[in-house]
Coordinates of all heavy atoms in Angstrom, one line a residue:
F1 N 69.7 177.9 -38.2 CA 71.2 177.9 -38.7 C 71.7 176.6 -38.3 O 71.8 176.3 -37.1 CB 71.8 179.1 -38.1 CG 71.4 180.4 -38.7 CD1 70.3 181.1 -38.2 CD2 72.0 180.9 -39.8 CE1 69.8 182.3 -38.7 CE2 71.6 182.2 -40.3 CZ 70.5 182.8 -39.8
R2 N 72.2 175.9 -39.3 CA 73.0 174.7 -39.0 C 74.4 175.1 -38.4 O 74.9 176.1 -38.8 CB 73.2 173.8 -40.4 CG 72.1 173.3 -40.9 CD 72.4 172.5 -42.2 NE 73.3 171.5 -41.9 CZ 74.6 171.3 -42.4 NH1 75.0 172.3 -43.2 NH2 75.2 170.3 -42.1
E3 N 74.9 174.3 -37.5 CA 76.1 174.5 -36.9 C 76.9 173.2 -36.7 O 76.3 172.2 -36.6 CB 75.9 175.1 -35.5 CG 75.3 176.5 -35.5 CD 75.0 177.1 -34.1 OE1 74.6 176.3 -33.2 OE2 75.3 178.3 -33.9
V4 N 78.2 173.3 -36.8 CA 79.0 172.2 -36.6 C 80.0 172.5 -35.4 O 80.7 173.5 -35.5 CB 79.9 171.9 -37.9 CG1 80.8 170.7 -37.5 CG2 78.9 171.4 -39.0
A5 N 80.0 171.7 -34.4 CA 80.9 171.9 -33.2 C 82.3 171.8 -33.6 O 82.6 170.9 -34.2 CB 80.5 171.0 -32.1
E6 N 83.1 172.8 -33.3 CA 84.5 172.8 -33.5 C 84.9 172.5 -35.0 O 85.7 171.6 -35.3 CB 85.2 171.7 -32.6 CG 85.0 172.0 -31.1 CD 85.6 170.9 -30.2 OE1 86.3 170.0 -30.8 OE2 85.5 171.1 -29.0
E7 N 84.2 173.2 -35.9 CA 84.5 173.0 -37.3 C 85.9 173.5 -37.6 O 86.3 174.6 -37.2 CB 83.5 173.9 -38.1 CG 83.6 173.7 -39.6 CD 82.6 174.5 -40.4 OE1 81.7 175.1 -39.7 OE2 82.6 174.5 -41.6
P8 N 86.7 172.6 -38.2 CA 88.2 173.0 -38.5 C 88.3 174.1 -39.6 O 87.5 174.0 -40.5 CB 88.8 171.7 -38.9 CG 87.6 170.9 -39.4 CD 86.4 171.3 -38.7
R9 N 89.3 174.8 -39.5 CA 89.6 175.8 -40.5 C 90.4 175.1 -41.6 O 91.3 174.3 -41.5 CB 90.6 176.9 -39.9 CG 91.2 177.8 -40.9 CD 90.2 178.8 -41.4 NE 90.9 179.7 -42.4 CZ 90.2 180.6 -43.1 NH1 88.9 180.8 -43.1 NH2 90.9 181.4 -44.0
I10 N 89.9 175.4 -42.9 CA 90.5 174.8 -44.1 C 91.6 175.8 -44.4 O 91.3 176.9 -44.8 CB 89.5 174.6 -45.2 CG1 88.5 173.5 -44.8 CG2 90.2 174.2 -46.5 CD1 87.4 173.3 -45.8
P11 N 92.9 175.4 -44.5 CA 94.0 176.3 -44.6 C 94.3 176.7 -46.0 O 95.6 176.8 -46.3 CB 95.2 175.5 -44.0 CG 94.9 174.1 -44.3 CD 93.3 174.0 -44.3
F12 N 93.4 177.0 -46.8 CA 93.6 177.5 -48.2 C 92.7 178.6 -48.4 O 91.6 178.6 -48.0 CB 93.5 176.3 -49.2 CG 94.3 175.2 -48.9 CD1 93.7 174.0 -48.3 CD2 95.6 175.1 -49.2 CE1 94.5 172.9 -48.1 CE2 96.4 174.1 -48.9 CZ 95.8 172.9 -48.4
E13 N 93.2 179.6 -49.2 CA 92.4 180.9 -49.4 C 91.9 180.9 -50.8 O 92.6 180.6 -51.8 CB 93.2 182.1 -49.1 CG 93.7 182.1 -47.7 CD 92.6 182.2 -46.6 OE1 91.5 182.8 -46.9 OE2 92.7 181.6 -45.5
E14 N 90.7 181.4 -51.0 CA 90.1 181.8 -52.3 C 90.7 183.1 -52.8 O 91.2 183.9 -52.0 CB 88.6 181.9 -52.2 CG 88.1 183.0 -51.4 CD 88.1 182.8 -49.9 OE1 88.5 181.7 -49.5 OE2 87.7 183.7 -49.2
R15 N 90.7 183.2 -54.1 CA 91.1 184.5 -54.7 C 90.0 185.1 -55.6 O 89.6 184.4 -56.5 CB 92.4 184.3 -55.5 CG 93.1 185.6 -56.0 CD 94.4 185.4 -56.5 NE 94.5 184.6 -57.7 CZ 94.5 185.1 -59.0 NH1 94.4 186.4 -59.2 NH2 94.5 184.3 -60.1
V16 N 89.7 186.3 -55.5 CA 88.7 186.9 -56.3 C 89.2 187.3 -57.6 O 90.3 188.1 -57.6 CB 88.1 188.2 -55.5 CG1 87.1 188.9 -56.5 CG2 87.3 187.7 -54.3
L17 N 88.7 186.8 -58.7 CA 89.1 187.2 -60.0 C 88.4 188.4 -60.7 O 89.0 189.1 -61.5 CB 88.9 186.0 -60.9 CG 89.7 184.6 -60.5 CD1 89.2 183.5 -61.4 CD2 91.2 184.9 -60.5
H18 N 87.2 188.5 -60.3 CA 86.3 189.6 -60.9 C 85.1 189.9 -60.0 O 84.6 189.0 -59.4 CB 85.9 189.1 -62.3 CG 84.9 190.1 -63.0 ND1 85.3 191.2 -63.6 CD2 83.5 190.1 -63.1 CE1 84.2 191.9 -64.1 NE2 83.2 191.2 -63.7
R19 N 84.6 191.1 -60.0 CA 83.4 191.5 -59.3 C 82.8 192.7 -59.9 O 83.4 193.7 -60.2 CB 83.8 191.9 -57.8 CG 82.6 192.1 -56.9 CD 83.1 192.2 -55.5 NE 82.0 192.5 -54.5 CZ 81.9 193.6 -53.8 NH1 82.8 194.5 -53.9 NH2 80.8 193.8 -53.0
D20 N 81.5 192.5 -60.3 CA 80.8 193.6 -60.9 C 79.4 193.6 -60.3 O 79.1 192.9 -59.3 CB 80.7 193.6 -62.4 CG 80.0 192.3 -63.0 OD1 79.1 191.8 -62.3 OD2 80.5 191.8 -64.0
A21 N 78.5 194.4 -60.8 CA 77.2 194.5 -60.2 C 76.5 193.2 -60.2 O 75.5 193.0 -59.4 CB 76.4 195.6 -61.0
H22 N 76.7 192.3 -61.1 CA 75.9 191.0 -61.3 C 76.6 189.8 -60.8 O 76.1 188.8 -60.4 CB 75.5 190.9 -62.7 CG 74.7 192.1 -63.2 ND1 73.3 192.3 -62.9 CD2 75.1 193.2 -64.0 CE1 72.9 193.4 -63.4 NE2 73.9 194.0 -64.1
L23 N 78.1 189.8 -61.0 CA 78.8 188.5 -60.9 C 80.0 188.7 -59.9 O 80.6 189.8 -59.8 CB 79.3 188.0 -62.2 CG 78.4 187.6 -63.3 CD1 79.2 187.3 -64.5 CD2 77.6 186.4 -62.8
L24 N 80.2 187.7 -59.2 CA 81.4 187.5 -58.4 C 82.1 186.3 -58.8 O 81.6 185.2 -58.8 CB 81.1 187.5 -56.9 CG 82.3 187.3 -55.9 CD1 83.3 188.4 -56.0 CD2 81.8 187.2 -54.4
V25 N 83.4 186.4 -59.4 CA 84.1 185.2 -59.9 C 85.3 184.9 -59.0 O 86.1 185.9 -58.7 CB 84.5 185.5 -61.3 CG1 85.1 184.2 -61.9 CG2 83.4 186.0 -62.1
V26 N 85.4 183.7 -58.6 CA 86.4 183.3 -57.6 C 87.2 182.1 -58.0 O 86.7 181.3 -58.6 CB 85.7 183.1 -56.2 CG1 86.8 182.7 -55.1 CG2 84.8 184.3 -55.8
D27 N 88.5 182.1 -57.6 CA 89.4 180.9 -57.8 C 89.3 180.2 -56.5 O 89.8 180.6 -55.4 CB 90.9 181.4 -58.0 CG 91.5 180.7 -59.2 OD1 91.0 179.7 -59.7 OD2 92.6 181.1 -59.5
K28 N 88.5 179.1 -56.6 CA 88.3 178.2 -55.3 C 89.5 177.3 -55.2 O 90.0 176.6 -56.1 CB 87.0 177.4 -55.6 CG 86.7 176.5 -54.3 CD 85.5 175.6 -54.6 CE 86.0 174.2 -55.1 NZ 86.7 173.5 -54.1
P29 N 90.0 177.2 -53.9 CA 91.1 176.3 -53.6 C 90.6 174.9 -53.5 O 89.4 174.6 -53.3 CB 91.7 176.8 -52.4 CG 90.5 177.4 -51.6 CD 89.7 178.0 -52.8
H30 N 91.5 173.9 -53.5 CA 91.1 172.5 -53.3 C 90.6 172.4 -51.8 O 91.0 173.2 -50.9 CB 92.3 171.6 -53.4 CG 92.8 171.4 -54.8 ND1 92.2 170.7 -55.7 CD2 93.9 172.0 -55.4 CE1 92.9 170.8 -56.9 NE2 93.9 171.5 -56.7
F31 N 89.8 171.4 -51.5 CA 89.3 171.0 -50.2 C 88.2 171.9 -49.6 O 87.6 171.6 -48.6 CB 90.4 171.0 -49.2 CG 91.5 170.0 -49.5 CD1 92.7 170.4 -50.1 CD2 91.3 168.7 -49.4 CE1 93.7 169.5 -50.3 CE2 92.3 167.7 -49.8 CZ 93.5 168.1 -50.2
L32 N 88.0 173.1 -50.2 CA 87.0 174.0 -49.7 C 85.7 173.7 -50.4 O 85.5 173.9 -51.6 CB 87.4 175.4 -49.9 CG 86.5 176.5 -49.3 CD1 86.5 176.5 -47.8 CD2 86.9 177.9 -49.8
P33 N 84.6 173.3 -49.6 CA 83.2 173.2 -50.2 C 82.7 174.5 -50.7 O 83.0 175.6 -50.2 CB 82.4 172.6 -49.1 CG 83.4 172.3 -48.0 CD 84.6 173.1 -48.2
V34 N 81.8 174.5 -51.7 CA 81.2 175.7 -52.2 C 80.1 176.0 -51.3 O 79.9 177.2 -50.9 CB 80.6 175.5 -53.6 CG1 79.9 176.7 -54.1 CG2 81.8 175.2 -54.6
T35 N 79.2 175.2 -50.9 CA 78.1 175.5 -50.0 C 78.1 174.5 -48.8 O 78.7 173.5 -48.8 CB 76.8 175.3 -50.7 OG1 76.7 173.9 -51.3 CG2 76.6 176.3 -51.9
P36 N 77.3 174.8 -47.7 CA 77.3 174.0 -46.5 C 76.8 172.6 -46.8 O 75.8 172.4 -47.6 CB 76.3 174.7 -45.6 CG 76.4 176.1 -46.1 CD 76.6 176.1 -47.5
S37 N 77.5 171.6 -46.3 CA 77.1 170.2 -46.4 C 77.9 169.4 -45.4 O 79.0 169.7 -45.1 CB 77.4 169.6 -47.9 OG 78.7 169.7 -48.1
G38 N 77.3 168.3 -44.9 CA 78.0 167.4 -44.0 C 78.5 168.2 -42.8 O 77.9 168.9 -42.1
G39 N 79.9 168.1 -42.6 CA 80.5 168.8 -41.5 C 81.0 170.2 -41.8 O 81.8 170.7 -40.9

């Protein structure tokens, strides 16, 4: 498991638009990465 020491909290929240058995659809805020990368 990759870890980042003292990783800062990104102060914006995602909003779930839809969720069913196959898909989860989300409104992603600015500045939030989708997957782990860099810091």
Side-chain angles (χ1 to χ4, degrees):
F1 290 84
R2 295 179 62 243
E3 296 176 320
V4 176
E6 301 179 1
E7 185 176 355
R9 168 75 179 174
I10 294 175
F12 304 103
E13 299 298 326
E14 66 280 1
R15 185 168 70 93
V16 174
L17 301 174
H18 174 82
R19 185 169 179 248
D20 61 32
H22 303 282
L23 294 176
L24 177 61
V25 187
V26 182
D27 225 352
K28 184 187 91 68
H30 293 285
F31 300 105
L32 184 66
V34 173
T35 57
S37 64

